[in-house]
Amino acid sequence: MKSLPPGIPFLVRQLLLISAPPFAVYSISRVLRAWDVIFPLWFWVVVAVLSGPLLCTIYLWLKYRRIARRAAALGATLPPDLVGEEFGNLDILRGILEAFTHGYPSDMFELGSEMCGPLYSYTIFWHMSYATTDPNVVKTVLATDFQNYEKGEMFHAYTDSLFGTGVFNADGDLWKFHRSMSRPFFSKERISHFELFDRHAEIALNKMKERVRSDVAFDFQDVISRFTLDSATEFLFGSCVHSLASPLPLPHGLSPYPSEDVKSPSERFAHAFNMVQRIVAERPRLGWLWPLKEIFKTSTDEYMQVVDAFIEPILQEALRKKEERLRHQKAGDEKESQDDETLLDQLVKQTSDRTILHDETLNILLAGRDTTAAALTFGVYLLSQHPAVLKRLREEIIERVGLVRRPTYDDIRDMKYLRAFLNETLRLYPPVPFNIRCSINEGLLPNPDPQGLPIYIAPKTAIAYATFNMHRDPKYWGPTAEGFDPDRFLDERVGKYLVPNPFIFLPFNGGPRICLGQQFAYNEMSFFLIRLLQTFSSVSLDLTAQPPDTLPPPEWKEALGRKGKEQIFPKSHFTLYVNGGLWVKMAEADPLA
């Protein structure tokens, strides 16, 4: 049964809340009239009209007074408050939405940090939230006081239409269940299946070679997203969706992108999945008023139909295999080896509930496809801007692996500059640039001012943290924080900055919820980069191939730091991506060089 759009129950709840005080006034007037206590009609009308705002004001005053008193009782203080100039801080909300739609990824947190410091509160229509770019605060939330923070009901409301009951939405025992189930599938033996990477990399590289030999630019972001999708579906579900089999899009002006009716199922899925993420990621920016944008329909429904059509065959195949296994076991056949089991095989052993299977499948796909694709996309972008780094990286690859041989696990482990390059890419362009948690009970956060009192956080308070901003802050990374320099992960700066506080670098999150697929991602990224630079000797951007309306706004050139130097437009939904794609040209390497 199809559920109501979120705006309808939201409006019903709000109408009940708004009408309750006037109805109470009306009831009191009737009771007083029965006792012959008469007031003129205009009096009751005025009281009824003012009752709602008055009760709301009293409630908010008592709420904030209680918070201030609890902070004082615990020897703490409240963070600086980001105060707007318009009613309900509407200007702050508008600024958040503008930054999300047209701004640089750091813009959303930068304004608050400049005005209030690295930890502050902000209130949108009287709903208080916290935001931080301080690694010690993030450490408290993710690690030292982990038990007091969860994704929370509000996050679930934002994301249920995409993630449902999956691991990204899970808290408490359900999260522990997902975690314990997934852990065995990220052992060294499983994440070192380089034959799988090699098959899909070969197809991707051949697609790229075709374009290079035709002297036509290609969208690397599109290619690498297909590579990670094919690799993830085979690794996690045992069957590849062959998204790399479809033709690549052509550059702007050369030919339009294939129309929707001729796109393959995997292409339609990728587009729909990206759109759902964008819609869901926009909801938190609107705060608690987000359902007002979805009164007549749930914005994600149209795209989720495409996503569901893509996922359904994978689930059907997994359930079919389960029934076949059960039949063989009843017939007394030998039990199959667990070495050949996929993560989805293991999940269907636990349940046949299609909702749970559907939700977990989407969660795993997001983790396996989007984050790795984002890192490799921005890695290639940085190579196009830093040819000396590309040259040094190729030299390490040629020295260790050569131009033909497939790399092994030991090769990748011993390639220090490659790992430093990946870390520096992840530092400047973390795939998940922002995240959020919600306090369960009241708690204390470290004050960014070492001389200040601890910061009090009330129960059920959302706290957002910006990995993107934190990774570029000179306070934590030194004066060259905005620069691209892989050597910072090899020289004395590691001991000076990173070792004393590992929470300044969180490309895979931190604490008990750190990404289980971290090493899988490093292996996949390393493998593909090695194969890429064995095949191609140079990379350059082709901005003429880029759709003009997806380029960085001209006013960015006046900005300080990396924002003023960007050649592409980084944007984010749940993960970071290049607006309009990363259109590049490459030169084939001489295999005999």
Side-chain angles (χ1 to χ4, degrees):
M1 180 177 164
K2 195 172 180 179
S3 59
L4 290 171
I8 294 177
F10 176 82
L11 283 177
V12 170
R13 287 194 303 271
Q14 299 310 310
L15 287 172
L16 288 173
L17 287 172
I18 291 169
S19 62
F23 181 76
V25 170
Y26 171 76
S27 300
I28 291 170
S29 72
R30 299 291 293 177
V31 170
L32 291 178
R33 179 179 289 275
W35 292 349
D36 293 327
V37 179
I38 309 297
F39 290 94
L41 179 61
W42 65 264
F43 173 83
W44 290 114
V45 171
V46 170
V47 172
V49 169
L50 295 179
S51 60
L54 181 62
L55 283 175
C56 183
T57 301
I58 292 172
Y59 168 77
L60 291 172
W61 181 80
L62 290 173
K63 174 185 173 181
Y64 294 133
R65 181 172 178 266
R66 183 171 63 250
I67 290 173
R69 294 184 69 177
R70 283 300 302 158
L74 294 172
T77 187
L78 297 175
D81 190 24
L82 179 61
V83 180
E85 297 178 353
E86 297 181 11
F87 178 76
N89 284 338
L90 182 61
D91 53 330
I92 293 178
L93 174 59
R94 194 163 50 245
I96 291 171
L97 294 177
E98 176 66 20
F100 177 68
T101 307
H102 303 295
Y104 197 62
S106 59
D107 288 351
M108 282 191 293
F109 283 76
E110 213 159 70
L111 176 63
S113 296
E114 287 174 358
M115 295 179 64
C116 303
L119 172 61
Y120 57 93
S121 64
Y122 63 99
T123 305
I124 305 295
F125 289 104
W126 310 285
H127 181 81
M128 180 190 288
S129 299
Y130 285 14
T132 187
T133 57
D134 185 283
N136 292 317
V137 175
V138 176
K139 180 180 179 180
T140 299
V141 171
L142 297 184
T144 55
D145 199 16
F146 169 77
Q147 297 297 333
N148 192 42
Y149 295 90
E150 61 180 7
K151 292 298 182 78
E153 293 177 7
M154 185 65 77
F155 184 85
H156 297 166
Y158 298 144
T159 60
D160 271 350
S161 58
L162 173 59
F163 294 138
T165 60
V167 67
F168 290 153
N169 252 7
D171 287 313
D173 291 339
L174 182 59
W175 168 75
K176 291 177 182 176
F177 163 74
H178 285 302
R179 188 84 171 179
S180 61
M181 182 190 65
S182 303
R183 190 183 300 277
F185 290 87
F186 291 98
S187 64
K188 175 186 171 182
E189 291 71 24
R190 289 183 180 271
I191 64 174
S192 304
H193 288 174
F194 290 161
E195 297 86 357
L196 181 153
F197 295 153
D198 200 32
R199 282 199 307 277
H200 300 300
E202 190 67 26
I203 299 170
L205 293 170
N206 285 335
K207 290 271 188 184
M208 294 157 67
K209 283 180 188 177
E210 289 173 12
R211 285 295 179 84
V212 168
R213 291 167 183 172
S214 303
D215 194 29
V216 176
F218 61 92
D219 179 4
F220 181 81
Q221 181 170 253
D222 177 79
V223 176
I224 201 62
S225 296
R226 298 180 191 211
F227 165 76
T228 55
L229 178 62
D230 287 356
S231 300
T233 50
E234 182 170 348
F235 175 76
L236 299 169
F237 311 133
S239 60
C240 170
V241 297
H242 301 293
S243 65
L244 281 165
S246 301
L248 301 183
L250 291 167
H252 172 77
L254 184 59
S255 174
Y257 192 90
S259 60
E260 190 69 29
D261 59 336
V262 298
K263 285 184 185 178
S264 69
S266 59
E267 288 176 292
R268 290 196 295 272
F269 164 80
H271 172 71
F273 199 35
N274 289 340
M275 291 303 298
V276 173
Q277 288 182 64
R278 179 177 177 79
I279 292 166
V280 170
E282 185 178 312
R283 289 170 176 171
R285 276 83 181 180
L286 293 168
W288 64 281
L289 295 174
W290 72 267
L292 290 177
K293 282 195 69 177
E294 303 184 33
I295 294 174
F296 300 107
K297 66 173 184 176
T298 304
S299 299
T300 55
D301 278 353
E302 174 189 353
Y303 301 107
M304 283 305 297
Q305 289 176 5
V306 178
V307 171
D308 292 344
F310 180 82
I311 293 295
E312 189 59 29
I314 297 175
L315 301 184
Q316 288 178 348
E317 176 62 16
L319 290 170
R320 185 197 65 77
K321 286 168 64 178
K322 177 182 180 178
E323 291 174 1
E324 189 175 307
R325 273 197 306 268
L326 291 174
R327 283 198 301 270
H328 288 170
Q329 288 174 17
K330 285 180 181 177
D333 294 349
E334 275 192 28
K335 200 173 181 181
E336 67 173 302
S337 169
Q338 291 190 354
D339 291 340
D340 297 326
E341 283 189 349
T342 67
L343 184 57
L344 187 57
D345 289 334
Q346 181 66 20
L347 185 59
V348 296
K349 281 186 176 181
Q350 307 293 328
T351 180
S352 295
D353 187 304
R354 281 185 174 271
T355 300
I356 294 176
L357 294 172
H358 168 275
D359 295 345
E360 189 63 10
T361 298
L362 279 183
N363 281 246
I364 295 166
L365 266 182
L366 175 65
R369 167 185 175 264
D370 290 43
T371 54
T372 308
L376 285 169
T377 296
F378 285 98
V380 167
Y381 166 59
L382 288 166
L383 289 177
S384 75
Q385 303 299 293
H386 300 273
V389 172
L390 186 149
K391 182 174 181 292
R392 184 173 165 188
L393 200 52
R394 286 199 80 234
E395 287 171 353
E396 183 182 59
I397 290 168
I398 292 168
E399 180 183 343
R400 175 73 199 190
V401 186
L403 288 170
V404 179
R405 182 170 66 83
R406 185 178 75 194
T408 65
Y409 180 87
D410 289 337
D411 291 330
I412 290 173
R413 183 194 58 201
D414 293 340
M415 296 174 73
K416 306 303 182 186
Y417 192 70
L418 173 61
R419 184 61 168 253
F421 168 79
L422 287 172
N423 281 338
E424 182 69 344
T425 300
L426 292 167
R427 184 185 72 85
L428 288 173
Y429 300 98
V432 182
F434 317 108
N435 217 320
I436 191 169
R437 293 291 185 271
C438 185
S439 60
I440 300 171
N441 304 303
E442 65 180 3
L444 297 178
L445 300 169
N447 195 322
D449 178 2
Q451 306 302 318
L453 296 173
I455 301 295
Y456 175 79
I457 183 169
K460 307 296 181 185
T461 301
I463 178 167
Y465 57 97
T467 309
F468 191 94
N469 299 57
M470 206 164 64
H471 280 189
R472 298 176 174 211
D473 196 325
K475 284 187 296 185
Y476 314 126
W477 291 94
T480 62
E482 290 271 3
F484 175 69
D485 182 8
D487 280 316
R488 78 173 71 248
F489 285 93
L490 296 173
D491 59 26
E492 72 282 352
R493 287 173 289 183
V494 174
K496 185 176 180 180
Y497 299 114
L498 187 57
V499 172
N501 190 355
F503 275 77
I504 66 173
F505 183 57
L506 296 175
F508 296 98
N509 216 347
R513 288 190 84 133
I514 192 170
C515 177
L516 279 175
Q518 174 176 334
Q519 196 55 51
F520 175 85
Y522 271 123
N523 284 349
E524 185 175 22
M525 291 186 292
S526 299
F527 187 95
F528 192 89
L529 275 176
I530 291 169
R531 279 310 209 189
L532 180 74
L533 295 183
Q534 284 177 323
T535 307
F536 302 102
S537 58
S538 69
V539 183
S540 60
L541 285 182
D542 186 351
L543 297 180
T544 62
Q546 188 95 10
D549 60 348
T550 64
L551 292 169
E555 57 268 24
W556 281 17
K557 291 181 179 177
E558 308 299 321
L560 300 175
R562 295 201 70 80
K563 181 179 178 180
K565 300 175 183 176
E566 292 288 19
Q567 301 295 301
I568 48 89
F569 193 156
K571 297 192 75 172
S572 72
H573 28 64
F574 278 104
T575 54
L576 208 61
Y577 66 98
V578 178
N579 191 28
L582 184 72
W583 292 87
V584 297
K585 287 187 172 181
M586 296 184 180
E588 274 194 82
D590 182 353
L592 301 178

